[in-house]
């Protein structure tokens, strides 16, 4: 369950980590993801979800992925229903508390067609962090005693050699691929993230390959003017894709809030017959459009303007 | 759920928010979940606890929520308005582990006699009737700090033993929590629309501490799936004031969380 | 060597962590440091050294402190020679590579009058990090096999239960007091640090008490306009002291570079007779001036202007 | 130290910087110490390796050093000019542990037959003749990545066994390094003002790989406190070019590190 240190180092050693341009299209970036890969998603719940990349992977017909994320929202429904995702590893999975329990998540997990593997939220964070640090585990003080731990077998307990206290050791998570959406990065992959960071500093450092989608590509000169704002270093990154509104209908801090109306209608559409509802949604929004702009068109210009107005209001202070 | 005092002029959710908000003290640091906890903490901050610091799991320290713009979870930009600091989720949860948090404050779907919470599975976890959304930060919060839980008082939610311990209370009671390795924190209060409940110091069994206006001990017991202990003196809570309700409604004008 | 978890939590529980003003003078802040305390210093080598607070502690006659820092420069000499510091825990201790090996450090350590306890640099960082995370140790993969480990007894080796690999476990370091100098913070202690962060995010989180010195105090409103720039949260902080040029003659990123001429003359003065030289320096610069402004006056206005001009040149890009 | 070729038009330090800079390859990520390593890496970046990324322990990724403004250590703002990213020291050192660094590049005070470095104590560590400044990042760099060391070739610096292993080379030789838990990295090259030295694959003993202009094998052996192995073919290095020296002097006009 934890890769050997030499294997992990070997994977990094074989990557081209030089300062080079790596701008490409969503379709080209898809080639960095293979069926069966463990794909970690940046963002959390409705925030900075790498939606455009998920959209492209579903369109490309990727299968049997294990997907991990801090908290999973509608993208989890779509990964399950499209067949792209076979297993989701996370601390919480539903559309969002205001929409009740996801009927699609229930449909797929209760029938055993897909797996939802539950860890505590801090365990998810510390698993990525151990992966990012190059150690096989992190010690922590929660999850012990609970059935969350009880249903998993890939952790260990230890008695601390310093204090004699009982500790939970959670295994490092080193995803095959990380998908992270950011406000801006340069063509080399130096990324600056505004607002909430979630687990998006540890995830790219833990992963073997990293695909960044970004609201806009800025020059390397601009990055170098404020190097203390860079959150992801270029040498961890393998692909940079410029995708405006790349998290829609979720939010991107400072730029747009969630498209609430769209999310309400998604919840409504998947309520009565979750499977048919989500399939229709995929046909219309994922397989129908010829490109991302057409997808955004389906979400509606007025809704885009409304989400943007709300999103930018964060700068009013 | 039935409103315990029809005609009282407030909903059960509003009662919950007011009663749990009153348990928070000025100067405390409160790790608040979305929904009732967020509303209750904001209410406390505006009324009796101006120096209360709210933490959100998504990475926010000390925000001020804007009336009418409640966030859909603790992980969106609405949570960050006028915050003192934003940090990563992992580092936010580590504040619980480091001991910086006075109170963890969550909602609950199912609770048992020892305060264990279930938000993962209804029925046999191997073949569940209902797969619920899961732990989120619940397990970490309940493992690492003193907990207040706000939930509706129904027999199917107050069960002798939860189907699955997502967020640990006192586990099997007695010393079993600390024996499992959870040496800090623990369940402090459960606030419902009927009563405020605590836990017996030795057995760690749930106990009625005080009753909301117009509620009887029998009524609480009837809505509970196990036998409740009773505090030596049972208190009577003050009904929500007009001021409390007004502030609450200012924050949630659309009744997103207080319908 | 590692405190029990309940003791650590008890210390935090007893602190007033509310959002309150805590602005005070250097002299008042000294009262938060007791003889014999473990005092961790922020910054590194010549950067953001909490010099004003060290100056105040030496003037106040504090004794027998254990002092830890990532890398120790001239402040270590002064702590030893004044009698304030009895033991220094760090990865590297000398004035700086361009000035050769510190004669004062040599004088005090070689005669056994003071102790220089050496850890690897990453070990120092991970010890603070473990302390900040509330766990008793961090696993790591260096220091094994070396005499750096061999001369210490407060670490453990373990065989990883996941991979079978050998790992070094370094003990958490939870200092009694942390001294950190920042570019700006509000009266509550919300601090924003520009440029290099060193170990100054983990150190205050690991410590039991925190004294911030700051180039300037800004309003809480200003902090709240850019909360993603806050690096130290107010509730970890016990004292805020406004001290312009609070790191002089060391540097503060973006404001002033080191006073190189002064550091050259310090090196010269402590070369032939280190003990007499450093004592004279202490008398003149530490015990002589009636306040911090007078100390700065001794360093010279022209030197201050020169250090500032060089310091601000970082913003020319 | 004696300049091996007086009248050659360059100092021993300049020779060191040029020779070690040549070992760096385009596209590599190099963790560089202050002094000769910083100069050599900057030289390589300006000449044959424009895509070389320099990391400084103080928390800098990919800076460009401004000619004439060499930093006094790797921890001041001069190190950060036009950097791609700044991060904490701990996270910078963790890049070594995660495996992101191709080459660690340091100076050395004392080295032994198996490439172990001492920068802590001269004499018995319990009662040292000289207390040196210590490890800094040296122990971590040497433990976690492939090392290039640049140092002056003197008998008192090249000893059979160092007084204290600050930064591990191959420890006692053979498999002893990996047996100690250090399963990655190891000493790659030692560059001196006389020669370039490597290590035998099996015994992990130091070996002469190539000689600088005008230097003999005997001269190298005479300046070494233990018996050196010899590579099957001993190379001859090209002398520093005028271009290399010019760039070097542009960066260190005051001869801070190349006197």
């Amino acid at each position: 369950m934890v890769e050997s240190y030499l294997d992990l180092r070997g994977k990094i050693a074989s990557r081209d980590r030089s300062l080079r341009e790596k701008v490409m299209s969503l379709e080209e970036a898809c080639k960095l993801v293979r069926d069966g890969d463990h794909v970690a998603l940046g963002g959390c719940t409705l925030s900075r979800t790498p939606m455009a990349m998920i959209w492209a992977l579903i369109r490309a017909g990727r299968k049997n992925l294990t997907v991990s994320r801090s908290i999973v929202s509608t993208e989890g429904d779509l990964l399950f229903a499209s067949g792209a995702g076979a297993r989701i590893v996370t601390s919480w999975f539903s559309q969002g508390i205001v929409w009740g329990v996801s009927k699609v998540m229930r449909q797929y997990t209760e029938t055993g067609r897909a797996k939802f593997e539950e860890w505590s939220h801090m365990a998810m964070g510390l698993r990525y962090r151990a992966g990012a640090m190059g150690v096989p585990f992190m010690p922590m003080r929660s999850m012990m005693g609970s059935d969350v731990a009880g249903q998993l077998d890939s952790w260990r307990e230890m008695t601390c050699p310093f204090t004699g206290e009982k500790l939970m050791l959670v295994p490092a998570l080193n995803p095959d691929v990380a998908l992270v959406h950011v406000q801006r990065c340069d063509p080399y992959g130096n990324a600056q993230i505004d607002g909430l960071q979630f687990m998006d500093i540890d995830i790219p450092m833990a992963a073997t390959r990293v695909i960044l989608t970004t609201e806009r590509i800025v020059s390397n000169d601009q990055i170098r003017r404020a190097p203390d704002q860079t959150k992801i270093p270029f040498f961890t990154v393998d692909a940079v894709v410029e995708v405006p509104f790349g998290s829609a209908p979720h939010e991107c801090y400072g730029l747009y809030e969630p498209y609430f109306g769209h999310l309400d209608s998604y919840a409504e559409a998947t309520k009565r017959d979750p499977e048919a509802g989500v399939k229709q949604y995929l046909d219309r929004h994922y397989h129908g459009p010829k490109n991302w702009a057409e997808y955004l068109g389906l979400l509606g210009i007025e809704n885009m303007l409304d989400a943007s107005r709300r999103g930018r209001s964060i700068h009013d202070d | 759920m039935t409103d315990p005092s029809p005609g009282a002029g407030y909903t059960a959710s509003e009662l919950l928010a007011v009663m749990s908000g009153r348990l928070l003290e000025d100067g405390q640091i409160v790790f608040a979940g979305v929904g009732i906890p967020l509303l209750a903490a904001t209410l406390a901050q505006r009324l009796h606890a101006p120096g209360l610091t709210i933490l959100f799991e998504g990475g926010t320290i000390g925000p001020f929520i804007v009336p009418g713009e409640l966030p859909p979870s603790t992980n969106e930009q609405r949570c960050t308005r006028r915050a003192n600091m934003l940090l990563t989720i992992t580092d936010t949860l580590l504040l619980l582990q480091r001991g910086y948090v006075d109170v963890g404050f969550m909602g609950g779907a199912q609770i048992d006699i020892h305060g264990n919470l279930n938000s993962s599975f209804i029925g046999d976890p191997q073949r569940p009737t209902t797969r619920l959304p899961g732990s989120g930060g619940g397990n970490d919060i309940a493992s690492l700090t003193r907990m207040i839980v706000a939930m509706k008082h129904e027999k199917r939610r107050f069960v002798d033993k939860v189907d699955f311990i997502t967020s640990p209370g006192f586990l099997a009671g007695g010393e079993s929590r600390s024996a499992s390795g959870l040496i800090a924190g623990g369940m402090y209060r459960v606030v419902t629309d009927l009563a405020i409940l605590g836990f017996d110091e030795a057995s760690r069994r749930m106990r009625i501490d005080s009753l909301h206006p117009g509620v009887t001990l029998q009524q609480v017991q009837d809505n509970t799936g196990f036998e409740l202990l009773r505090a030596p003196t049972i208190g009577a809570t003050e009904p929500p004031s007009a001021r409390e309700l007004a502030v609450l409604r200012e924050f949630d004008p659309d009744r997103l969380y207080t319908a």
Side-chain angles (χ1 to χ4, degrees), chain A residues 21 23 182-192 214-225 230 240 242:
Chain A
E21 292 208 10
V23 178
V182 303
Q183 283 93 353
R184 62 189 169 280
C185 70
D186 70 17
Y188 310 137
N190 286 301
Q192 300 187 335
T214 179
E215 292 288 330
R216 68 189 175 109
I217 294 176
V218 299
S219 69
N220 180 249
D221 275 345
Q222 182 166 330
I223 293 291
R224 289 183 191 260
R225 267 178 222 118
T230 307
V240 168
E242 189 176 77

Side-chain angles (χ1 to χ4, degrees), chain A residues 24-25 32 51 55 78 103 110 135 162-163 204 221 241 245:
Chain A
M24 59 184 80
S25 67
L32 293 169
M51 200 63 92
W55 179 84
L78 301 170
K103 295 290 193 301
E110 290 169 12
V135 285
F162 298 96
T163 61
D221 275 345
V241 189
F245 291 89

Side-chain angles (χ1 to χ4, degrees), chain A residues 119-296:
Chain A
W119 292 74
S120 91
H121 206 183
M122 190 162 79
M124 288 303 299
L126 292 177
R127 294 191 62 194
Y128 289 131
R129 183 158 291 179
M133 291 171 74
V135 285
F137 65 81
M138 272 288 119
M140 62 176 230
R141 299 185 186 273
S142 64
M143 238 174 71
M144 294 180 286
S146 72
D147 290 330
V148 175
Q151 65 170 349
L152 299 165
D153 56 12
S154 50
W155 50 269
R156 298 286 177 269
E157 265 184 8
M158 83 179 282
T159 301
C160 174
F162 298 96
T163 61
E165 293 156 357
K166 210 182 268 192
L167 295 168
M168 163 68 70
L169 308 184
V170 289
L173 203 172
N174 289 103
D176 295 306
V177 192
L179 315 182
V180 180
H181 185 68
V182 303
Q183 283 93 353
R184 62 189 169 280
C185 70
D186 70 17
Y188 310 137
N190 286 301
Q192 300 187 335
I193 301 175
D194 298 326
L196 295 162
Q197 309 288 315
F198 306 118
M199 299 181 180
D200 296 3
I201 296 172
D202 290 327
I203 287 173
M205 198 57 77
T208 299
R209 298 185 293 286
V210 177
I211 301 173
L212 291 187
T213 52
T214 179
E215 292 288 330
R216 68 189 175 109
I217 294 176
V218 299
S219 69
N220 180 249
D221 275 345
Q222 182 166 330
I223 293 291
R224 289 183 191 260
R225 267 178 222 118
D228 52 359
Q229 300 305 304
T230 307
K231 298 299 190 334
I232 299 173
F234 70 90
F235 51 67
T236 64
V237 175
D238 301 277
V240 168
V241 189
E242 189 176 77
V243 196
F245 291 89
S247 287
H250 292 185
E251 83 166 26
C252 185
Y253 191 99
L255 297 174
Y256 47 93
E257 277 203 346
Y259 288 53
F260 286 118
H262 183 85
L263 293 169
D264 288 344
S265 65
Y266 171 83
E268 193 56 40
T270 53
K271 204 168 182 179
R272 207 150 307 163
D273 185 340
E275 201 156 348
V278 71
K279 287 270 150 78
Q280 274 166 24
Y281 184 90
L282 282 168
D283 284 343
R284 179 163 160 73
H285 292 91
Y286 276 56
H287 300 299
K290 67 172 194 296
N291 56 31
W292 183 251
E294 208 171 290
Y295 164 89
L296 292 176

